[in-house]
Amino acid sequence: MEPGSSTLLTLLITLSWFHLAESLGTGLGLSPHMGWSSWNVKQCDSASAKYALDAADKFISLGLKDLGYEYINIDDCWSTKERDGSGKLVPDPVKWPNGIKAVADRIHDMGLKFGLYGCAGQMTCAEFPGSEGYAVSDVDQLVGWGVDFWKFDNCYTPCKVNPRPQTCPDPAGNTKTWYAPMRDAILAARARTASQIHFNLCNWGRDEVYKWGAQYGAQSWRISEDNYGDWASIERIASTAADITQYSGPGGFNDLDMLYLGSPKLNTRQERLHFGLWAILKSPLVLGLDLSNISASTLEIVTNRGIIEINQDPLGKPANTFRPPGGPEPVKGKIYPYWVGELKDGVVIGLCAGTAAGRYSLEFRDVPGLGRGWYEWTEMYTAQTGWGSGVSLDIGLHDMRVVKVGSFIFSTSNIPSRLSGPAGKRDY
Ligand code: GLA
């Protein structure tokens, strides 16, 4: 190491902790945020007051608010295509007949929060005005409207290709550079006003954003390209997330992208795995679906209180894969069957039939964080309960079981271990 570089390193580490502490000090992002986003509903057509207020009403009538769903987030296409003469963003008057503030106020009156979307480049991904050169002015507008959440995208940013394309294949620099002005504007607004805007970075995981997102004042950051609502997206995003769980926790969480339940390309088993895996990985739970047309089976999944409680567990520790004796080799890009995460009052085991249907069995002594002994457990999707030295469940293709292992009953360190019997049955 060069002389002086250790001092520099210490300074950098101190600074990064300072920023993390600053982010924690806001009280924001201590657990993954929960909400709804307009994007997967009807893309540009759903970026309106009507969709925002309908979603807020549904949060109340469907009981979502009581479960912790909080943010009503409008994505791309909410403004006009041009700024006004003073460089201000203009809410599309057709989509927002009474402006943004009236909607934000109403949503606040319902005990919910309101989010908007912007972009670090010249234009948003759908070619509405971007914030390049306007960060301070745009944040002033957000503060004036009472916006609580700002998703910040990465289209039309500096690129070696000219003119800049929507999604740059060969960036002219690092996303950190073009996210810095918005970071500064958000931090200044937090310091100057009562505003506590949740800053969500959407640079699709580029430049290892999970390593510096918290230092950029963000409470969450996308780790991948979009969830397109098909099985390939679920596999791609979940396996990316599995490799970077150590960068996610209270103050700043890996964002696996919106939940695309209700997509015609996913069946109910795949929806259960999608929701369950996002939850135990401590991703934000943002419903990307039309709440007016939600099916009974999808509603049942997204209102699973036990799984939501696991997602919101105060430790905020994402689950990781683990390989029990005889467990398969991990296959890149595929969903591994065995996951475990620490909770305040136990552990969560995720069993994923990502590649094959069948019986999935575990001895608790082989699970990191559990010892040789008997434990009580509850499966969250089937409400099956049991106790013993392990768990063994039949799972259909692409389905998932989320097992919370709670109280330790007694140690069996001197007794040969065996799997528990049928659910609920004592097996000694
Ligand atoms: C990008 C983002 C999406 C969505 C669209 C809007 O693709 O990754 O989540 O916000 O832009 O144009």
Side-chain angles (χ1 to χ4, degrees):
M1 198 180 268
E2 298 281 318
S5 58
S6 69
T7 325
L8 183 64
L9 191 64
T10 314
L11 182 70
L12 286 175
I13 291 169
T14 313
L15 275 177
S16 67
W17 279 108
F18 170 75
H19 282 297
L20 184 60
E22 187 172 44
S23 153
L24 290 172
T26 61
L28 287 170
L30 297 179
S31 56
H33 63 275
M34 295 174 64
W36 168 89
S37 162
S38 60
W39 185 246
N40 295 343
V41 180
K42 282 197 177 154
Q43 287 77 40
C44 283
D45 289 345
S46 37
S48 69
K50 181 181 167 359
Y51 274 88
L53 293 170
D54 282 354
D57 285 341
K58 287 284 182 304
F59 268 28
I60 311 287
S61 63
L62 296 175
L64 295 165
K65 180 188 170 204
D66 290 340
L67 288 161
Y69 289 95
E70 188 178 26
Y71 288 90
I72 303 290
N73 291 344
I74 292 295
D75 209 278
D76 206 348
C77 317
W78 57 269
S79 74
T80 54
K81 287 265 175 168
E82 302 293 337
R83 290 173 180 271
D84 71 10
S86 9
K88 293 288 177 190
L89 291 164
V90 182
D92 180 330
V94 176
K95 291 174 175 165
W96 305 88
N98 301 312
I100 298 279
K101 187 164 187 320
V103 175
D105 285 351
R106 212 160 120 202
I107 288 175
H108 291 152
D109 288 346
M110 297 166 88
L112 299 169
K113 292 186 169 155
F114 177 71
L116 277 182
Y117 161 102
C119 187
Q122 294 163 330
M123 289 190 286
T124 71
C125 302
E127 302 189 346
F128 290 78
S131 292
E132 188 171 314
Y134 293 92
V136 172
S137 164
D138 290 356
V139 170
D140 279 350
Q141 286 189 278
L142 301 180
V143 171
W145 290 331
V147 170
D148 306 292
F149 184 100
W150 183 232
K151 170 174 169 180
F152 204 50
D153 217 332
N154 191 33
C155 284
Y156 295 101
T157 45
C159 190
K160 289 183 188 150
V161 179
N162 257 319
R164 293 182 189 179
Q166 187 220 45
T167 308
C168 176
D170 192 9
N174 189 299
T175 46
K176 270 177 137 172
T177 316
W178 42 92
Y179 274 74
M182 186 52 75
R183 168 204 60 192
D184 294 344
I186 296 262
L187 292 180
R190 283 190 195 140
R192 190 181 72 237
T193 68
S195 161
Q196 295 299 327
I197 297 174
H198 178 126
F199 190 25
N200 172 258
L201 308 182
C202 180
N203 75 342
W204 322 307
R206 287 190 175 183
D207 301 314
E208 301 184 311
V209 62
Y210 36 86
K211 292 189 179 167
W212 49 267
Q215 296 155 36
Y216 266 52
Q219 285 69 45
S220 53
W221 40 82
R222 282 272 299 278
I223 58 158
S224 66
E225 286 177 17
D226 293 15
N227 178 0
Y228 298 111
D230 52 6
W231 179 246
S233 295
I234 307 305
E235 287 185 313
R236 168 176 52 83
I237 298 173
S239 39
T240 302
D243 293 335
I244 51 171
T245 55
Q246 68 272 36
Y247 301 109
S248 189
F253 288 96
N254 289 340
D255 177 354
L256 277 62
D257 200 7
M258 294 163 267
L259 293 158
Y260 215 145
L261 281 81
S263 162
K265 297 181 204 152
L266 294 177
N267 64 35
T268 301
R269 281 177 274 119
Q270 292 168 334
E271 287 193 350
R272 270 195 292 267
L273 183 138
H274 179 10
F275 187 73
L277 211 42
W278 263 231
I280 70 170
L281 275 158
K282 302 291 191 277
S283 172
L285 298 179
V286 177
L287 304 170
L289 51 95
D290 184 356
L291 294 173
S292 317
N293 286 318
I294 189 167
S295 70
S297 65
T298 299
L299 185 62
E300 190 181 332
I301 295 170
V302 302
T303 54
N304 187 304
R305 189 179 289 275
I307 295 181
I308 291 171
E309 281 171 4
I310 288 168
N311 175 258
Q312 297 290 304
D313 179 80
L315 296 186
K317 288 197 174 175
N320 288 297
T321 55
F322 70 98
R323 193 172 173 195
E329 288 267 5
V331 179
K332 201 163 171 47
K334 296 287 166 198
I335 293 171
Y336 197 71
Y338 304 108
W339 300 71
V340 65
E342 187 184 350
L343 302 174
K344 187 184 77 163
D345 56 352
V347 304
V348 58
I349 293 174
L351 297 173
C352 294
T355 51
R359 173 157 282 243
Y360 287 76
S361 305
L362 278 175
E363 288 282 350
F364 292 138
R365 66 176 182 211
D366 296 328
V367 177
L370 296 178
R372 191 182 278 269
W374 288 16
Y375 295 81
E376 281 178 347
W377 56 266
T378 305
E379 200 292 308
M380 297 299 167
Y381 279 130
T382 57
Q384 205 178 341
T385 59
W387 68 310
S389 63
V391 61
S392 182
L393 298 169
D394 286 322
I395 310 180
L397 183 63
H398 294 174
D399 208 340
M400 178 175 184
R401 294 291 176 263
V402 178
V403 181
K404 180 167 175 187
V405 184
S407 307
F408 178 69
I409 302 172
F410 59 80
S411 164
T412 54
S413 43
N414 299 321
I415 305 173
S417 182
R418 50 178 289 225
L419 290 176
S420 57
K425 193 167 165 230
R426 302 186 174 201
D427 72 343
Y428 53 85

